[in-house]
């Protein structure tokens, strides 16, 4: 028999656009959306982006209820959040958790290089993927995407894609069906305490440039190996892992202001 999978998603526009994870719909020959009122629709995959693990679906419907979008940059460690999804096909299951970090780097997943995840301890299991993560104002701040587990079931660590990253992908998928990302052409490494001290930096922060692509944007702008990038367009960089996502979110061909030590 054909294989079937289950995941979650949420409606972002009254005319039937739905956000979910790429890995929920990847390689699917048919996608069925079942709403909470038990109506079912055949969905069209408008586009999917494996580098962020965000997919955009469309169903033929009108006047649908939509979620309210929040600002994930205002989240702080220690805040409570709520996840809703269909773990093991138990629809509308709600779990609560606490935010541990808002810029967590996760290695090994498809989205590790372009997403700084929201880490929580909200219980997520197979079927939760693609569902919304709410703050206590009832606003969506993330898309539940990954768990850290040796068994495939919840082990206490859950990761969500910040909704601002997902919205950027959503807008590009709706407009063109694919996603483009900026690049500056550098390799980077973390700034350790010893490195910060040797360069006279007040404390470990930023992203250290280890190499520069010849003829690339960074090379043309004058960046050199051993420079430390401290901010991009006014957004401070504390961890080096924050830089790729910030650069990727800039439209190719546009200018960017980098603060460099």
């Amino acid at each position: 028999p054909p294989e079937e999978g289950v995941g979650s998603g949420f409606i972002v526009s009254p005319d039937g656009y739905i956000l979910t994870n790429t890995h929920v719909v990847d390689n699917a020959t048919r996608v069925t959306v079942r709403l909470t009122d038990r109506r079912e629709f055949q969905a069209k995959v408008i586009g999917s982006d494996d580098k962020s693990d965000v997919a955009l679906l469309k169903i033929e419907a009108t006047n649908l209820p939509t979620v309210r979008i929040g600002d994930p940059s205002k989240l702080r460690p220690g805040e409570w959040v709520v996840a809703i999804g269909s773990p093991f096909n138990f629809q509308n299951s709600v779990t609560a958790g606490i935010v541990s970090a808002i810029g967590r780097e996760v290695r090994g997943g498809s989205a590790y290089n372009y997403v700084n995840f929201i880490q929580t301890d909200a219980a997520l299991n197979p079927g939760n993927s693609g569902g919304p993560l709410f703050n206590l104002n009832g606003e969506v701040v993330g898309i539940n995407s990954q768990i850290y587990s040796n068994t495939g079931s919840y082990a206490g660590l859950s990761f969500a894609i910040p909704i601002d990253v997902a919205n950027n992908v959503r807008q590009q998928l709706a407009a063109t069906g694919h996603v483009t990302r900026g690049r500056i052409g550098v390799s980077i490494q973390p700034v350790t305490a010893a490195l910060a001290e040797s360069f006279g930096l007040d404390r470990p922060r930023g992203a250290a440039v280890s190499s520069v692509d010849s003829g690339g944007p960074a090379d043309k702008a004058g960046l050199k190996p051993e420079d430390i990038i401290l901010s991009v367009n006014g957004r401070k960089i504390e961890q080096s892992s924050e830089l790729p996502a910030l650069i990727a979110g800039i439209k190719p061909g546009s200018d960017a202001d980098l603060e460099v030590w």
Side-chain angles (χ1 to χ4, degrees):
E3 292 185 10
E4 294 185 356
V6 62
S8 302
F10 51 97
I11 304 167
V12 292
S13 69
D15 58 348
Y17 281 98
I18 295 169
L19 278 177
T20 186
N21 285 148
T22 293
H23 76 262
V24 170
V25 297
D26 201 24
N27 298 320
T29 56
R30 186 171 71 172
V31 178
T32 301
V33 170
R34 183 181 298 114
L35 303 185
T36 54
D37 60 10
R38 291 183 290 183
R39 285 186 292 167
E40 292 190 1
F41 298 86
Q42 296 306 308
K44 178 182 179 181
V45 179
I46 300 299
S48 62
D49 178 51
D50 60 353
K51 289 181 172 62
S52 65
D53 197 23
V54 173
L56 181 66
L57 312 182
K58 178 70 166 65
I59 61 175
E60 294 303 321
T62 58
N63 299 319
L64 293 172
T66 63
V67 296
R68 288 191 294 136
I69 303 298
D71 184 355
S73 69
K74 294 181 179 179
L75 272 181
R76 292 294 178 266
E79 287 190 35
W80 284 88
V81 286
V82 174
I84 300 178
S86 297
F88 303 113
N89 220 1
F90 291 105
Q91 297 178 23
N92 307 325
S93 294
V94 182
T95 55
I98 297 174
V99 175
S100 294
I102 57 171
R104 185 70 79 195
E105 180 184 17
V106 177
R107 290 290 180 183
S110 62
Y112 74 90
N113 208 27
Y114 294 99
V115 177
N116 292 311
F117 289 89
I118 301 167
Q119 181 189 329
T120 77
D121 67 345
L124 301 182
N125 283 291
N128 271 114
S129 290
L133 184 73
F134 290 93
N135 62 20
L136 292 190
N137 293 323
E139 301 166 329
V140 175
V141 291
I143 302 179
N144 299 314
S145 175
Q146 298 185 26
I147 59 175
Y148 184 89
S149 173
N150 292 323
T151 64
S153 297
Y154 176 68
L157 299 170
S158 305
F159 301 94
I161 302 161
I163 196 62
D164 55 348
V165 174
N167 266 333
N168 179 285
V169 172
R170 164 196 163 193
Q171 291 164 5
Q172 294 193 59
L173 291 177
T176 65
H178 65 274
V179 178
T180 58
R181 293 180 168 86
R183 61 177 294 273
I184 59 173
V186 297
S187 297
I188 57 172
Q189 67 184 61
V191 178
T192 62
L195 199 60
E197 183 179 0
S198 68
F199 282 96
L201 198 59
D202 56 346
R203 59 183 176 83
R205 58 191 174 101
V209 176
S210 54
S211 66
V212 179
D213 293 350
S214 178
D219 184 31
K220 292 177 181 178
L223 262 71
K224 304 292 183 184
E226 299 185 353
D227 283 344
I228 298 176
I229 301 173
L230 299 179
S231 72
V232 177
N233 288 338
R235 291 191 60 173
K236 300 294 184 182
I237 297 171
E238 289 297 324
Q239 304 288 340
S240 61
S241 59
E242 298 170 18
L243 181 66
L246 286 176
I247 295 298
I250 299 173
K251 185 178 180 180
S254 58
D255 292 334
D257 292 323
L258 271 60
E259 180 187 1
V260 178
W261 181 269

